[in-house]
Amino acid sequence: MIAIPKHAISVSLFLAATLALSSSAWAHTGGYVGFAAGQADDKLLNETDRGLKVFGGWQFAPNLAAEFAYVDLGSYGPPGATLDQYGVSAQFVGLLPLGQSGASLFGKAGVFSWSVEQYGSGYYYSTVAENSGTDLAVGAGLQIDFHRRMGLRAEWERFYDVAGGDVDLISASFFYRF
């Protein structure tokens, strides 16, 4: 059984409040794709590395979207005993427009299907161990639409219980609507 963290309850309340308020300067609906880069912080290993994300989604209404992503949470450990962490996420995104400025606060919640691979040393690197699972993912951030088709995001996400520990991803991203 998955214990629901307090952060997930806060994000859920934020999403509910966002859906209750409606009005956007751009009134977007439709599909979008994007790329994010930033820093991943593994709380269990107490290490950081680069994090990358490629995402796409569909905005159903000015305040609600469904988003899917491939997330690379980095590589950890010394050479010869490297852990690679990555996975795919599916999340609902709630947006709260900030007046007519084109900026919005957003919150997201969903699941993250993760894999962790450990590589051993040697002439050819080979997988020594692999672990995988599916757990909760939440996030929040600021989105700025600088054009009706393009925008930027500053975002924090937490991926819970990835191989026994939480991983935070702080990133900046660019997205394009079609």
Side-chain angles (χ1 to χ4, degrees):
M1 183 172 153
I2 298 174
I4 298 176
K6 292 179 184 176
H7 298 296
I9 294 169
S10 299
V11 170
S12 298
L13 290 173
F14 176 77
L15 289 172
T18 299
L19 293 175
L21 302 169
S22 181
S23 167
S24 173
W26 298 94
H28 297 294
T29 58
Y32 60 93
V33 294
F35 174 77
Q39 180 173 303
D41 180 16
D42 188 304
K43 303 299 184 189
L44 181 66
L45 300 173
N46 198 26
E47 290 187 43
T48 61
D49 194 22
R50 56 93 186 109
L52 302 171
K53 177 171 66 168
V54 177
F55 61 93
W58 188 267
Q59 192 162 340
F60 299 101
N63 300 88
L64 180 64
E67 190 169 287
F68 302 93
Y70 170 79
V71 184
D72 181 345
L73 293 173
S75 298
Y76 301 91
T82 304
L83 291 174
D84 287 342
Q85 300 181 134
Y86 58 91
V88 293
S89 68
Q91 300 176 326
F92 284 105
V93 181
L95 295 117
L96 177 63
L98 300 175
Q100 301 296 314
S101 67
S104 301
L105 294 175
F106 67 88
K108 55 184 6 182
V111 295
F112 181 59
S113 182
W114 54 267
S115 290
V116 174
E117 294 179 349
Q118 180 180 1
Y119 295 93
S121 61
Y123 185 72
Y124 294 103
Y125 283 92
S126 61
T127 304
V128 174
E130 188 171 348
N131 192 3
S132 61
T134 301
D135 290 290
L136 182 66
V138 297
L142 174 68
Q143 175 174 303
I144 299 173
D145 299 332
F146 60 85
H147 183 272
R148 66 182 185 87
R149 293 210 179 267
M150 294 177 273
L152 300 172
R153 284 183 178 175
E155 179 173 8
W156 162 84
E157 289 179 281
R158 172 159 289 173
F159 302 95
Y160 287 94
D161 202 26
V162 176
D166 300 341
V167 181
D168 286 349
L169 176 62
I170 297 174
S171 64
S173 60
F174 169 82
F175 64 91
Y176 178 81
R177 291 187 182 88
F178 47 89

